[in-house]
């Protein structure tokens, strides 16, 4: 019974394709803001702290530093307000949930960028 409900729910929810990202990656989430009768797109650029859930309840949390204050925002993957997600940097981290980033600031809060072997080969050819 529940599999039939899940099947219908998957068919009715629209599918958006986002780039594959994980915790530690730096992304920009462009989402729609509705103010009165106006609609605009605002970007939220930061590091992915965690991804959780699966299916229609899957969410991800993005953290950024704004004027010296840490700001976190939770986004559902299936939200109709998400316009696009841009992957800026691929981070090199050892865990899936980066809650320790909340106590850090400055240089200790940096996440190392993962080096890509394919990009180095393409740079040599050019």
């Amino acid at each position: 019974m529940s599999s039939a409900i899940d099947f219908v729910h998957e068919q009715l929810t629209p599918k958006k394709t986002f780039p594959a990202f994980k915790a530690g990656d730096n992304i920009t989430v462009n989402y729609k803001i509705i103010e009165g009768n106006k609609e605009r797109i605002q970007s939220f650029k930061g590091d992915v702290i965690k991804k959780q859930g699966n299916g229609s309840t899957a969410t991800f949390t993005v953290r950024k530093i704004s004027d010296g204050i840490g700001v976190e925002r939770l986004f559902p993957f299936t939200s109709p307000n998400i316009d696009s997600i841009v992957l800026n940097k691929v981070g090199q981290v050892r865990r899936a949930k980066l809650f320790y980033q909340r106590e850090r600031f400055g240089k200790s809060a940096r996440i190392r960028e993962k080096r890509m072997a394919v990009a180095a080969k393409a740079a040599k050819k050019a």
Side-chain angles (χ1 to χ4, degrees):
M1 179 73 178
S2 66
S3 63
I5 294 171
D6 291 338
F7 177 74
V8 171
H9 189 67
E10 291 292 325
Q11 296 298 323
L12 293 177
T13 55
K15 297 278 185 186
K16 288 187 178 180
T17 56
F18 298 127
F21 60 90
K22 59 181 179 29
D25 293 352
N26 187 286
I27 63 172
T28 302
V29 182
N30 298 314
Y31 59 97
K32 296 175 192 167
I33 299 281
I34 300 169
E35 296 171 335
N37 57 358
K38 293 182 181 178
E39 184 176 300
R40 64 184 175 90
I41 294 179
Q42 184 174 359
S43 62
F44 191 90
K45 181 178 179 181
D47 296 323
V48 178
I49 297 296
K50 68 176 178 175
K51 285 173 64 175
Q52 70 177 15
N54 54 17
S56 62
T57 60
T59 60
F60 61 98
T61 304
V62 181
R63 178 180 174 82
K64 74 173 183 176
I65 304 296
S66 178
D67 293 328
I69 298 172
V71 179
E72 290 186 11
R73 181 149 181 172
L74 189 124
F75 295 98
F77 275 103
T78 57
S79 173
N81 292 333
I82 294 180
D83 186 52
S84 64
I85 297 175
V86 179
L87 181 63
N88 301 326
K89 294 181 186 176
V90 178
Q92 183 180 357
V93 293
R94 293 184 176 188
R95 44 188 82 202
K97 308 268 195 277
L98 305 178
F99 297 129
Y100 65 89
Q101 288 289 90
R102 292 175 177 163
E103 286 84 38
R104 296 190 177 196
F105 55 91
K107 284 188 177 181
S108 66
R110 285 185 295 180
I111 297 174
R112 286 197 305 171
E113 187 174 358
K114 189 173 186 178
R115 293 184 167 220
M116 299 292 188
V118 178
K121 290 179 185 177
K124 287 181 182 179
K125 289 180 181 178

